[in-house]
């Protein structure tokens, strides 16, 4: 495999300043979107008791919404590469809102799965186009823009369990509907983003940039396929591990240390908040020193902490999960931008593929590990998944320092 660094030259207007308002709006809507998704995760203890669910059924809930998102995201990304849809984002948020309301009034397990599917469809529509818009609004600082975008999502994921502990735990399942107001706010933000995107498309159409240079800069398709495969292995190791760590973290704390439901949700909030903080690091650092060192340090660097975690007491468990969340979360922005620079003419497809694969591995991990937990124990599962970050060694197969792409 050649180690030549591809130079991504895209058919876009000359470099412009960062569109701060658009980037803030797309990150804020990502916060709302992922906050609503994380309410599903935070509701697991309630659903388990109310519907008498097994751990396998808990994993199936995660599998349903993440597999739905996984299957549709690459297709939506491919479609929007060919025909941009500026106002598709509010429609995705509306689907998530419908899933949230159905979740609040679900009378049985089957309805919970249907609600999870609607949330997955909303996520599938949201992520590929919103990632593209974050890149367009970046002013050429692609790593920074993806980190800011991802920060919104991770912050929303972290806030969900905290809100669940404060609102849903004392008030019950139907209080989930109160968060519909946040979804309406997200729809408003995405209408603003859609208007900006539509204006951007008109500007590009009015000032076309020659495409010949872009074709010359692309790597051979076989090399691109190999590098994408390596990146997907890294995504697998990250999200399969995160699925086991986060999906069963509350149960792990309650079973092993006797922590209360609300206390376990607060610990989950801490882990997810550390993940949100780490997200902001990977992109900007990758802009400065290259994506490969960030990817290498993020995934393989977390391995010692993951291996120690199953044998730690409560205090060390809390500290180790904070470190794991912070370090491991810095990888995704670097991986995604690395892949986008490989295929700058297929931003939606690449974004959909990687978001979709991440969701799919998270859902599959939750389902498989749920079955293992039923047959063994949560503690055994934590021991088994602790070896996954060692797959970070495959980052050595990635090409070396990459040329900074043109905006």
């Amino acid at each position: 495999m050649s180690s030549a660094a591809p130079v991504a030259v895209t058919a876009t207007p000359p470099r412009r300043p960062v569109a701060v308002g658009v980037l803030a709006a797309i990150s804020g809507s990502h916060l709302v979107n992922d906050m609503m998704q994380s309410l599903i995760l935070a509701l697991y203890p309630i659903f388990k008791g109310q519907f008498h669910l097994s751990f396998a059924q808990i994993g199936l809930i995660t599998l349903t919404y993440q597999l739905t998102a996984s299957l549709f995201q690459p297709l939506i990304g491919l479609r929007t590469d060919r025909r941009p849809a500026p106002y598709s984002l509010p429609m995705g948020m509306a689907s998530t809102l419908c899933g949230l309301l159905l979740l609040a009034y679900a009378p049985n397990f089957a309805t919970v799965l249907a609600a999870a599917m609607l949330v997955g469809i909303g996520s599938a529509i949201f992520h590929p186009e919103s990632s593209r818009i974050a890149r367009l609004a970046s002013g050429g600082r692609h790593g920074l823009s993806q980190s800011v975008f991802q920060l919104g999502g991770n912050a929303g994921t972290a806030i969900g369990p905290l809100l669940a502990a404060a609102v849903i735990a004392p008030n019950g399942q139907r209080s989930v509907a109160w968060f519909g107001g946040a979804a309406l706010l997200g729809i408003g933000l995405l209408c603003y983003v859609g208007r900006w995107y539509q204006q951007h498309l008109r500007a590009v159409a009015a000032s076309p940039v020659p495409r010949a240079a872009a074709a010359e800069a692309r790597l051979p398709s076989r090399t691109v396929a190999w590098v994408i495969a390596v990146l997907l292995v890294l995504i697998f190791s990250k999200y399969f591990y995160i699925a086991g760590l986060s999906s069963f973290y509350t149960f792990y704390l309650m079973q092993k240390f006797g922590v209360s439901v609300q206390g376990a949700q607060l610990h989950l909030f801490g882990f997810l908040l550390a993940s949100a903080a780490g997200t902001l690091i990977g992109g900007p650092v990758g802009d400065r020193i290259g994506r490969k060192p960030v990817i290498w340090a993020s995934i393989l660097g977390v391995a010692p902490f993951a291996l120690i975690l199953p044998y730690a007491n409560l205090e060390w468990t809390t500290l180790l999960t904070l470190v794991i969340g912070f370090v491991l979360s810095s990888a995704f922005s670097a991986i995604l931008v690395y892949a986008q620079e490989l295929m700058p003419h297929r931003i939606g497809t690449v974004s959909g593929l990687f978001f979709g694969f991440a969701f799919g591995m998270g859902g599959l991990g939750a389902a498989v590990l749920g079955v293992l937990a039923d047959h063994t124990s949560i503690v055994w599962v934590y021991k088994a998944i602790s070896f996954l970050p060692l797959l970070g060694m495959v980052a050595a197969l990635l090409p070396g320092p990459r040329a900074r792409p043109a905006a």
Side-chain angles (χ1 to χ4, degrees), residues 335-403:
I335 291 173
L336 181 60
V337 175
Y338 194 109
Q340 289 175 341
E341 290 172 358
L342 285 172
M343 302 175 66
H345 54 300
R346 291 287 184 267
I347 297 298
T349 303
V350 169
S351 300
L353 173 64
F354 277 82
F355 277 110
F357 190 74
F359 272 68
M361 288 302 99
L364 180 62
V368 170
L369 296 174
V371 172
L372 288 177
D374 283 334
H375 288 84
T376 56
S377 68
I378 295 293
V379 174
W380 189 92
V381 167
Y382 266 51
K383 291 178 181 179
I385 64 174
S386 66
F387 295 93
L388 284 173
L390 293 174
L391 284 173
M393 289 186 290
V394 303
L397 301 175
L398 295 174
R402 302 164 62 78

Side-chain angles (χ1 to χ4, degrees), residues 158-184:
I159 290 171
L162 184 64
L163 293 175
V167 177
I168 298 174
N171 295 290
Q173 177 187 348
R174 293 194 175 184
S175 61
V176 175
W178 300 351
F179 295 96
L184 294 176

Side-chain angles (χ1 to χ4, degrees), residues 19-393:
V20 176
V22 173
L23 198 54
I26 202 70
S27 181
S29 59
H30 199 186
L31 184 152
V32 172
N33 183 80
D34 286 22
M35 181 269 289
M36 291 189 294
Q37 290 180 16
S38 72
L39 292 176
I40 300 177
L41 189 69
L43 280 166
Y44 284 173
I46 294 176
F47 287 150
K48 192 175 192 301
Q50 184 169 333
F51 301 131
H52 308 290
L53 304 182
S54 66
F55 285 119
Q57 288 174 307
I58 291 292
L60 185 59
I61 299 172
T62 302
L63 177 64
T64 298
Y65 93 84
Q66 292 194 342
L67 187 60
T68 302
S70 177
L71 292 174
F72 282 103
Q73 284 192 59
L75 298 177
I76 291 172
L78 180 62
R79 170 70 175 177
T80 53
D81 276 336
R82 297 174 177 174
R83 182 175 297 179
Y87 289 100
S88 63
L89 294 176
M91 295 172 57
M93 187 68 72
S95 176
T96 302
L97 172 60
C98 292
L100 190 73
L101 296 176
L102 186 59
L103 196 68
Y105 294 95
N108 51 48
F109 178 61
T111 308
V112 170
L113 293 181
M117 188 175 295
L118 284 173
V119 173
I121 291 171
S123 182
I125 297 171
F126 176 81
H127 283 97
E129 274 299 75
S130 57
S131 181
R132 183 205 308 275
I133 291 170
R135 185 177 176 89
L136 292 174
S138 70
R141 302 176 68 182
H142 300 146
L144 173 64
S145 68
Q146 287 299 328
S147 284
V148 171
F149 172 62
Q150 292 298 324
L151 176 65
N154 283 7
T157 301
I159 290 171
L162 184 64
L163 293 175
V167 177
I168 298 174
N171 295 290
Q173 177 187 348
R174 293 194 175 184
S175 61
V176 175
W178 300 351
F179 295 96
L184 294 176
L185 173 62
I187 290 172
L189 288 173
L190 291 173
C191 286
Y192 162 73
V193 170
R195 189 180 310 114
W196 178 88
Y197 185 27
Q198 188 172 61
Q199 293 170 352
H200 176 88
L201 292 172
R202 289 171 179 167
V204 171
S207 305
V209 176
R211 298 176 180 267
E216 293 173 1
R218 297 176 194 169
L219 285 174
S221 57
R222 182 177 297 180
T223 302
V224 172
W226 166 256
V227 176
I228 292 293
V230 172
L231 294 174
L232 290 176
V233 170
L234 294 169
I235 290 289
F236 163 77
S237 69
K238 169 180 164 59
Y239 280 92
F240 211 90
Y241 178 73
I242 287 292
L245 190 63
S246 60
S247 293
F248 306 108
Y249 189 40
T250 53
F251 301 111
Y252 179 77
L253 294 173
M254 289 188 290
Q255 284 188 10
K256 187 172 181 179
F257 303 113
V259 178
S260 68
V261 173
Q262 286 182 304
Q265 287 174 334
L266 291 175
H267 277 79
L268 179 60
F269 166 73
F271 164 71
L272 296 174
L273 187 63
S275 298
T279 298
L280 194 57
I281 301 299
V285 173
D287 284 338
R288 289 182 175 273
I289 69 172
R291 318 294 173 200
K292 182 177 177 179
V294 174
I295 295 168
W296 179 280
S298 176
I299 297 181
L300 186 60
V302 86
F305 307 106
L307 290 167
I308 295 170
L309 179 63
Y311 308 96
N313 60 23
L314 178 59
E315 290 75 18
W316 277 102
T317 294
T318 302
L319 179 60
L320 287 169
T321 51
L322 292 177
V323 173
I324 290 169
F326 181 84
V327 176
L328 193 56
S329 64
S330 64
F332 187 75
S333 295
I335 291 173
L336 181 60
V337 175
Y338 194 109
Q340 289 175 341
E341 290 172 358
L342 285 172
M343 302 175 66
H345 54 300
R346 291 287 184 267
I347 297 298
T349 303
V350 169
S351 300
L353 173 64
F354 277 82
F355 277 110
F357 190 74
F359 272 68
M361 288 302 99
L364 180 62
V368 170
L369 296 174
V371 172
L372 288 177
D374 283 334
H375 288 84
T376 56
S377 68
I378 295 293
V379 174
W380 189 92
V381 167
Y382 266 51
K383 291 178 181 179
I385 64 174
S386 66
F387 295 93
L388 284 173
L390 293 174
L391 284 173
M393 289 186 290

